[in-house]
């Protein structure tokens, strides 16, 4: 199987059991503060999948979703093994792929803040994960909690799941322990913990519903990499103008591999800094700037731009964040960045880059398509 064919084309939503903790109310039909059901929100996040499987406990549960899914190509499945939680749903779904060694993205119906970025970030890692022999990829949030029902799985897990079902061991975490599982840091992918909110009780549902109108919007985060003088700044300038022309907002974070000074020689804040101030700040009614002598990580900076539609990071070429690399023929025709989550090479070179997608250097349309449609 080639890397190209390893793209994840299928997804599955596990509809759950009898929703006993919700008083029998099906969780997938619950609505947010804007009247959108869990299921509709999740199907929207998975809209790039060629096929979406819906794993249900029984035929009655499938009948409830007919109107919700009438505009999308969804395939209903009834759990092969009953009353064994999400492990049974996963087993049912993987049975559909038993003759194909293909990834499938799997989530549960009670994860209403699923986003395209959560799905896409794992898919970008799937080819390398396959070559390294992994059976599944799942997220770990900033608090250290692992989320097995937001991940990629392969049919190679079927024998392990069959054995667990035989011994009535239905814990998803035990499956991860028994398999070759790649744990992915959601923070490094720019995914906030709020995206993993899980609703299991009426009280939790009411709290979430009351706050869902004010949930932080999904951001696209993209690193612009390249060696010195490759044209990163010029490309970012063009991209910023186009983003603004599309009515969107963007923030830029520049990573400097060396130390730097943020104040100009002769300014008051520069003098205060030279005199020993650990931090200086200047502000007016229109802008502010802070210069502090302390360590800060990228995630803290990203959190400070929560209102931006797009965050562009200049540099960070060894990070696992989604990235593009600028490669200009007059400078170099080789890649310098870490291959993890490399979306494309923006270049004027004729060279092939190991099958990585190439975008033209002279315009930003392909990048805009990725930011606003991908």
């Amino acid at each position: 199987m080639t890397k190209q064919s390893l793209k994840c084309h299928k997804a599955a939503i596990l509809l759950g059991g009898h929703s006993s903790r919700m008083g029998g109310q099906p969780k997938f039909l619950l609505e947010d503060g804007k009247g959108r059901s869990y299921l509709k929100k999740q199907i929207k996040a998975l809209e790039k999948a060629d096929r979406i499987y819906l794993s249900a406990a029984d035929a009655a549960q499938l009948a409830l979703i007919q109107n919700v899914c009438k505009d999308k190509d969804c395939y209903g499945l009834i759990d092969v093994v009953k009353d064994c939680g999400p492990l049974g749903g996963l087993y049912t779904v993987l049975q559909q792929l038993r003759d194909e060694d293909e990834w499938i993205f799997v989530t549960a119906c009670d994860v209403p803040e699923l986003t395209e970025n959560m799905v896409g970030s794992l898919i970008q890692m799937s080819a390398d994960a396959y070559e390294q022999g992994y059976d599944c990829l799942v997220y770990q949030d900033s608090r250290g909690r692992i989320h097995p029902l937001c991940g990629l799985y392969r049919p190679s897990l079927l024998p392990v799941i069959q054995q667990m079902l035989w011994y009535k061991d239905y814990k998803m975490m035990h499956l991860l322990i028994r398999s070759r599982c790649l744990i992915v840091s959601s923070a490094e992918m720019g995914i906030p913990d709020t995206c993993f909110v899980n609703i299991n009780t009426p009280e939790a549902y009411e709290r979430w519903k009351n706050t869902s109108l004010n949930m932080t919007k999904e951001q696209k985060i993209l690193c612009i990499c390249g060696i010195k003088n490759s044209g990163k700044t010029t490309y970012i300038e063009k991209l910023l103008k186009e983003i603004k022309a599309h009515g969107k907002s963007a923030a830029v974070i520049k990573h400097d591999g060396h130390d730097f000074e943020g104040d100009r020689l002769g300014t008051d804040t520069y003098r205060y800094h030279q005199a020993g101030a650990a931090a200086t700040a200047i502000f007016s009614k229109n802008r502010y700037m802070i210069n502090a002598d302390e360590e800060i990580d990228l995630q803290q900076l990203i959190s400070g731009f929560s209102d931006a539609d797009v965050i562009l990071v200049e540099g960070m070429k060894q990070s696992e964040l989604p990235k593009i690399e600028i490669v200009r023929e007059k400078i170099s025709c080789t890649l310098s960045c870490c291959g993890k989550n490399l979306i494309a090479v923006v270049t004027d070179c004729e060279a092939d880059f190991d099958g990585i997608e190439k975008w033209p250097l002279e315009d930003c349309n392909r990048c805009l398509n990725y930011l606003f449609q991908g």
Side-chain angles (χ1 to χ4, degrees):
M1 180 172 289
T2 65
K3 276 194 175 187
Q4 194 64 26
S5 66
L6 277 166
K7 288 292 186 184
C8 177
H9 300 292
K10 297 180 176 67
I13 303 172
L14 310 184
L15 299 183
H18 306 293
S19 299
S20 55
R21 286 191 285 175
M22 289 296 300
Q25 186 177 12
K27 287 187 280 189
F28 51 84
L29 296 181
L30 294 175
E31 297 180 344
D32 66 8
K34 296 180 181 178
R36 299 168 299 184
S37 71
Y38 282 16
L39 194 54
K40 278 189 175 180
K41 284 166 65 71
Q42 290 185 316
I43 289 174
K44 174 67 176 174
L46 297 169
E47 64 182 357
K48 293 193 184 316
D50 293 337
R51 175 174 293 190
I52 299 176
Y53 292 106
L54 302 171
S55 173
D58 50 42
Q61 201 175 64
L62 278 182
L64 290 173
I65 63 172
Q66 287 180 347
N67 289 332
V68 179
C69 303
K70 61 184 178 182
D71 298 326
K72 180 65 181 176
D73 199 10
C74 295
Y75 292 77
L77 303 170
I78 296 176
D79 287 346
V80 177
V81 184
K82 307 293 184 184
D83 300 321
C84 52
L87 188 72
L90 178 61
Y91 178 71
T92 299
V93 168
L94 290 180
Q95 284 279 16
Q96 301 298 309
L97 306 178
R98 61 185 179 274
D99 296 325
E100 311 169 43
D101 196 3
E102 184 178 347
W103 294 106
I104 183 167
F105 182 86
V106 179
T107 190
C109 68
D110 54 1
V111 185
E113 293 300 333
L114 182 73
T115 67
E116 286 186 23
N117 186 36
M118 295 165 74
V119 182
S121 292
L122 290 185
I123 291 175
Q124 288 293 331
M125 303 177 72
S126 63
D128 287 339
Y130 181 90
E131 289 191 345
Q132 294 169 32
Y134 287 105
D135 302 302
C136 53
L137 292 78
V138 299
Y139 281 118
Q140 182 177 43
D141 63 29
S142 66
R143 296 166 297 179
R145 183 179 178 186
I146 294 173
H147 298 272
L149 293 180
C150 189
L152 292 179
Y153 291 86
R154 287 174 51 207
S156 54
L157 286 169
L158 280 169
V160 180
I161 298 175
Q162 286 172 331
Q163 187 179 50
M164 291 178 65
L165 293 173
W166 176 262
Y167 287 104
K168 301 188 184 306
D169 180 0
Y170 304 145
K171 294 185 181 298
M172 287 293 294
M173 288 300 298
H174 290 179
L175 173 64
L176 304 187
I177 293 168
R178 295 183 180 197
S179 62
R180 288 209 64 198
C181 179
L182 178 61
I183 306 297
V184 178
S185 167
S186 59
E188 290 182 6
M189 298 294 106
I191 299 168
D193 289 352
T194 51
C195 287
F196 297 99
V197 63
N198 185 263
I199 312 296
N200 286 311
T201 66
E203 294 77 20
Y205 171 57
E206 288 302 321
R207 286 195 301 272
W208 172 79
K209 185 177 179 181
N210 291 334
T211 58
S212 62
L213 285 169
N214 300 312
M215 291 292 284
T216 302
K217 60 186 172 184
E218 181 185 2
Q219 290 177 319
K220 271 294 177 70
I221 299 173
L222 182 65
C223 292
I224 315 292
C225 306
I227 64 173
K228 187 176 181 180
N229 296 325
S230 59
K232 300 185 294 295
T233 302
T234 300
Y235 188 82
I236 290 173
E237 286 175 334
K238 290 192 294 185
L239 195 54
L240 288 170
K241 291 176 183 177
E242 292 295 333
I243 291 171
K244 186 174 182 180
H246 280 71
K248 302 288 187 178
S249 63
V252 179
I253 299 172
K254 179 179 173 66
H255 175 254
D256 194 326
H258 308 283
D259 209 352
F260 66 95
E261 285 196 22
D263 286 324
R264 296 193 308 275
L265 181 66
T267 63
D268 288 346
T269 50
Y270 177 87
R271 291 169 61 186
Y272 299 149
H273 187 264
Q274 293 298 306
T280 60
I282 183 170
F283 70 98
S284 69
K285 66 178 182 178
N286 296 317
R287 61 179 58 89
Y288 70 89
M289 183 173 68
I290 297 173
N291 185 19
D293 291 329
E294 60 183 55
E295 184 179 1
I296 190 169
D297 63 30
L298 180 60
Q299 193 58 42
Q300 289 173 285
L301 290 171
I302 289 172
S303 299
F305 298 118
S306 59
D307 288 337
D309 297 300
V310 176
I311 294 181
L312 303 177
V313 181
E314 183 182 337
M316 297 293 290
K317 62 185 179 183
Q318 301 305 325
S319 78
E320 294 188 0
L321 284 168
K323 64 176 74 69
I324 59 176
E325 179 163 354
I326 312 292
V327 177
R328 197 151 54 97
E329 188 171 21
K330 292 182 179 179
I331 304 299
S332 171
C333 279
T334 59
L335 295 176
S336 63
C337 76
C338 157
K340 290 285 183 68
N341 263 350
L342 179 60
I343 307 299
V345 181
V346 179
T347 185
D348 57 358
C349 295
E350 295 295 328
D352 179 58
F353 294 94
D354 253 348
I356 302 296
E357 192 171 343
K358 288 168 63 174
W359 294 348
L361 182 64
E362 62 273 11
D363 69 67
C364 304
N365 289 331
R366 298 291 293 278
C367 191
L368 290 169
N369 287 339
Y370 167 76
L371 292 173
F372 299 140
Q373 299 174 23

